[in-house]
Amino acid sequence: MNLAWLLPYLVLYFGVLSHGVSRPAVVNIGAIFTFDTINGRVAKIAMNAAVEDVNSNPSFLGGSKLNITMHDSNYSGFMGIIGDNLILVILIPLLITALQYMEENTVAIIGPQSSVMAHVLSHLANELQVPLLSFTALDPTLSALQYPFFVQTAPSDLFQMTAIAEMVSYYGWREVIAVFTDDDHGRNGIAALGDKLAERRCKISFKAALPPDPGTTRSEITDILVKVAMMESRVIVLHTYAKSGLLVFDVARYLGMMESGYVWITTTWLSTVLDSMPPLPLATANSIQGVLTLRPHTPDSKRKSSFISRWSQLNGSSIGLNPYGLYAYDTVWLIAHAIRTFFDQGGNISFSNDSRLSDVVGGTLHLEAMSVFDGGKQFLDNILKTNMTGLTGPIQFNSDRSLIHPAYDVINVIGTGFRQIGYWSNYSGLSVLPPETLYKKPPNRSSSNQQLYSVIWPGETMKKPRGWVFPNNGQQLRIGVPNRFSYREFASQVRGTDTLKGYCIDVFLAAINLLPYGVPHRFIPYGDGLKNPSYSELVNLVTTNVFDAAIGDIAIVTNRTRIVDFTQPYIESGLVVVARVQKLNSSAWAFLRPFTPTMWIVTASFFLVVGAVVWILEHRINDEFRGPPKQQVVTILWFSFSTLFFAHRENTVSTLGRIVLIIWLFVVMIINSSYTASLTSILTVQQLSSHIKGIESLVKSTEPIGFQVGSFAENYLSEELNIHKSRLVALGSPEDYAIALESGTVAAVVDERPYIELFLSSHCKFSIVGPEFTKSGWGFAFPRDSPLAVDLSTAILTLSENGDLQRIHDKWLNRKACSSQSTELESNFLHFSSFWGLFLICGIACFLALLIYFMLMVRQFRGQQFPEDSDPSTRGSLRSGRLHTFLSFVDDKEEESKSKSKKRQMESMSNANMKEDESRNGSMTRETEISPERHNGDTWP
């Protein structure tokens, strides 16, 4: 905006420089509104009431009085902005008139009413440092960074666009049409809506711009709505002003756009009409039936109820109170609180000249008389730090200057009034509980927690509209169908005609016949019919709008789901390996086939281990497990392998031995029965064999691999399994499969199961080897977020449940299989992996039994009496001897061990007695030797 056009006229508004006093008798504030609008009329009454209430308490401002001067901006004469920097001539007189009526020493301005004027006046407020507060200019682009002196005292339109986006997502719609006034207010609001919808994977499919108010005519609206009616989406968001909005609904009703199937959501302009103009004229009420709208939420309180009761006295019953009247009242009190804080801080209301302005145009316009509020920054800071409770609830600003806890009522228009169906808050989303009751709980934005009451939609129906239809523009859905060369049973063009037929075609036609609406379409063959087309290229053509959809045997794989939406799979699929097989003749060593070599080795090892464990546990107490070493080895081997036939003759006596044996016999029973069943199958059922065992052996080999032309198998084999492309051989038809496999050109063919099953129905020399190594399905491809994909998925599920899908399958794909296909492909070996759990249990039982047995033996051994030698030189040999003694103790029979223990105990006691006697004899001998000396000493003098 070129400020050179506007600054000369500021002199008329702010006046000459004045020197304020600390406590002036009067504090001036201004207001710029359009008085002939609903919000303008309500705001004027509410602001005058607020000023009166502030002044009724002289102590609130310390003896100062609050004075508000209002100016009618005559919004009906405003024509808007053209170009980048040029304002229409009519805007200049508007500003001149507005500034002429303003008093000097104005510390704040309430308004303007429109976002268009707010963008202009905010530049002036920045220059003169006078706060500009508006509760109706709620454009999201009026940011604090660009306009630091502009403050929105009501929730920004960003929040109501978030609420609308969440409502659209809540009802499961994906596309909306935006009808809006083509000015800053409309364009910026719809831009915010588009961003919020995109966050929820929704979008605006069409934007219909209305001429700026009040120049909109009925004929212009009719032309716009006719275009809207031609669109696919039936969810319409109307973001405009009251006059234009009501005219839009009148025209929409005339065009039949208020009937069943349509969804209309408006911004807060409609709720102001409902609140301020009750009851509505019958014609107006009939044209807005079933519409959803938002209303700024203001919590109930005694102050609010008292003001509502007082309202009829204030306005003379000329207009009803709406939430913006409450915001107008609170805005005046917000300024009053900031003024009181300003005074308490010792601030003086004073103004000074800005000498820089005198040189803007040349110094001849007396710009030196322009006044700048000296305390403007401090006063603005007080406004933003105000913490008060008003008629609209708690008033406090966040760090981004937005009000705390923005919330809206969700309203459904019914009859001549409305019904509230819920709330939206930035804290917890959609809810049927008032937001203030949820602020005490942790925020919960989960989809299961989002709730609204039932809605009566346009057409007086409670059934939720689908939200879209096929556009009524005479265009048919362009559906790409692969014109196959091979496996024509799935999809192909009838030679010499434009008709397409096949399994996939029948499934699609059966599904759309179940939809509650018609789907005009035409099939377009894709491919020359001489070779199978590339399915990846076919899907890409859907994304480039060459086709509106693609149907056929299209596999749902990861790289395709990134660019299109698929329906529910209508047939299961997955890659399998098919190879040539030959009959496996019986031989003299056929009895070894049931077990793999590993299984044979592990089983034999466990026979020996269990036999050894039972021998250890029974050796001391069971005579059948004793004898010479050679006999004991034979006993172990005999006992081990005789358990295979449950023919063991040796009885187990110990508890631990019996536990181990019971567990082992259970394992033997399972292994025996499995071996018997497998061997019976080998000897009685014809077996087929192939050197290719599955995809693993195929990847490890260096042999060539065949794949179907156009299939995703080529990319999967090369990119996912890292098979070099030189090994991949493209094959075009089932006959090519057979020739390549028969001649050895390829070792195996990798293709999807439906194709292979059809191939094997007529080629009996081949069979599937190994398991299916991918899991996927076939589906119909549509552009991203297409609602038709969702509806067709539901229809496919219905076909599956009622059996029609199976009947279509039998019609096209049911073929009599070869007799050899009933045989098994090479007997499935019994692998160790199938039995390792049993062996693990048995091994743990053996280990625990041995551990318990060892602990018992150590305990018994410590209780025995053994000779000790205190000579240090013999301690080393004592340890080895003690170990030898322990082993002998374990090897001895329990009775023999006990008798030896008693014998050692007796010997120990005898040795002790002998030592005691020797000790006594020694002492007596020493006394005898000493006694003669004593005698001689006694007799001699």
Side-chain angles (χ1 to χ4, degrees), residues 730-893:
L731 303 174
S733 67
E735 290 71 22
D736 293 342
Y737 287 13
I739 294 173
L741 290 169
E742 188 74 28
S743 63
T745 304
V746 296
V749 172
V750 174
D751 207 348
E752 296 179 74
R753 180 175 287 277
Y755 301 127
I756 295 303
E757 289 178 348
L758 202 58
F759 168 74
L760 295 179
S761 65
S762 57
H763 297 80
C764 303
K765 296 180 180 180
F766 315 102
S767 182
I768 296 174
V769 293
E772 186 175 312
F773 58 92
T774 66
K775 292 291 184 182
S776 62
W778 291 352
F780 304 137
F782 290 88
R784 296 301 297 270
D785 301 322
S786 171
L788 189 58
V790 178
D791 287 356
L792 274 179
S793 293
T794 304
I796 290 172
L797 290 174
T798 303
L799 290 174
S800 177
E801 292 170 358
N802 61 24
D804 287 345
L805 197 60
Q806 184 62 43
R807 282 188 284 272
I808 297 174
H809 178 277
D810 295 341
K811 172 186 174 182
W812 289 96
L813 307 180
N814 192 19
R815 296 287 187 273
K816 186 176 181 180
C818 299
S819 58
S820 61
Q821 295 301 313
S822 60
T823 62
E824 297 180 7
L825 174 61
E826 192 170 342
S827 62
N828 292 325
F829 290 114
L830 296 176
H831 296 269
F832 172 70
S833 59
S834 302
F835 299 92
W836 71 268
L838 290 172
F839 287 118
L840 177 63
I841 294 173
C842 185
I844 293 175
C846 292
F847 173 78
L848 293 177
L850 289 176
L851 180 63
I852 295 172
Y853 179 78
F854 175 77
M855 294 172 64
L856 292 174
M857 290 300 99
V858 170
R859 181 180 178 183
Q860 292 179 14
F861 179 73
R862 287 180 176 178
Q864 302 296 323
Q865 297 293 330
F866 296 97
E868 296 183 359
D869 192 345
S870 61
D871 188 357
S873 62
T874 63
R875 288 180 181 175
S877 61
L878 181 62
R879 291 193 186 95
S880 60
R882 192 172 182 82
L883 178 60
H884 178 75
T885 304
F886 175 74
L887 295 177
S888 298
F889 171 76
V890 173
D891 183 62
D892 289 339
K893 193 173 181 181

Side-chain angles (χ1 to χ4, degrees), residues 14-19 105 350-353 368-372 374:
F14 291 102
V16 297
L17 174 67
S18 62
H19 301 282
N105 302 348
S350 62
F351 296 82
S352 61
N353 291 342
E368 66 277 2
M370 297 293 294
S371 300
V372 177
D374 295 331

Side-chain angles (χ1 to χ4, degrees), residues 467-480:
W468 70 279
V469 296
F470 278 97
N472 188 22
N473 51 20
Q475 295 182 358
Q476 294 179 319
L477 206 64
R478 298 163 300 171
I479 301 177

Side-chain angles (χ1 to χ4, degrees), residues 596-758:
T596 60
T598 302
M599 184 65 182
W600 278 115
I601 294 173
V602 171
T603 303
S605 300
F606 260 82
F607 273 110
L608 296 177
V609 168
V610 171
V613 170
V614 173
W615 176 83
I616 293 173
L617 299 176
E618 297 289 324
H619 179 67
R620 296 188 74 241
I621 60 177
N622 194 338
D623 291 334
E624 294 181 351
F625 287 88
R626 301 188 60 80
K630 183 182 297 185
Q631 179 182 345
Q632 295 184 45
V633 170
V634 173
T635 300
I636 292 174
L637 295 176
W638 163 254
F639 179 82
S640 299
F641 292 101
S642 63
T643 57
L644 177 63
F645 310 101
F646 305 98
H648 51 284
R649 293 176 300 177
E650 294 79 9
N651 294 321
T652 53
V653 177
S654 68
T655 303
L656 294 176
R658 290 176 177 177
I659 292 174
V660 171
L661 184 60
I662 289 174
I663 295 175
W664 173 242
L665 291 178
F666 175 75
V667 174
V668 169
M669 181 185 69
I670 299 298
I671 294 175
N672 201 354
S673 59
S674 301
Y675 175 86
T676 303
S678 180
L679 183 61
T680 301
S681 176
I682 291 174
L683 298 178
T684 58
V685 180
Q686 183 182 12
Q687 304 296 312
L688 303 176
S689 68
S690 172
H691 69 286
I692 301 296
K693 308 301 180 184
I695 188 62
E696 294 83 3
S697 62
L698 197 60
V699 171
K700 294 177 182 178
S701 69
T702 58
E703 297 178 285
I705 304 170
F707 68 91
Q708 182 183 173
V709 175
S711 172
F712 76 97
E714 178 183 12
N715 290 334
Y716 185 87
L717 293 173
S718 61
E719 296 176 6
E720 300 295 332
L721 301 181
N722 297 320
I723 298 176
H724 198 275
K725 288 191 174 182
S726 61
R727 293 180 56 193
L728 304 180
V729 180
L731 303 174
S733 67
E735 290 71 22
D736 293 342
Y737 287 13
I739 294 173
L741 290 169
E742 188 74 28
S743 63
T745 304
V746 296
V749 172
V750 174
D751 207 348
E752 296 179 74
R753 180 175 287 277
Y755 301 127
I756 295 303
E757 289 178 348
L758 202 58

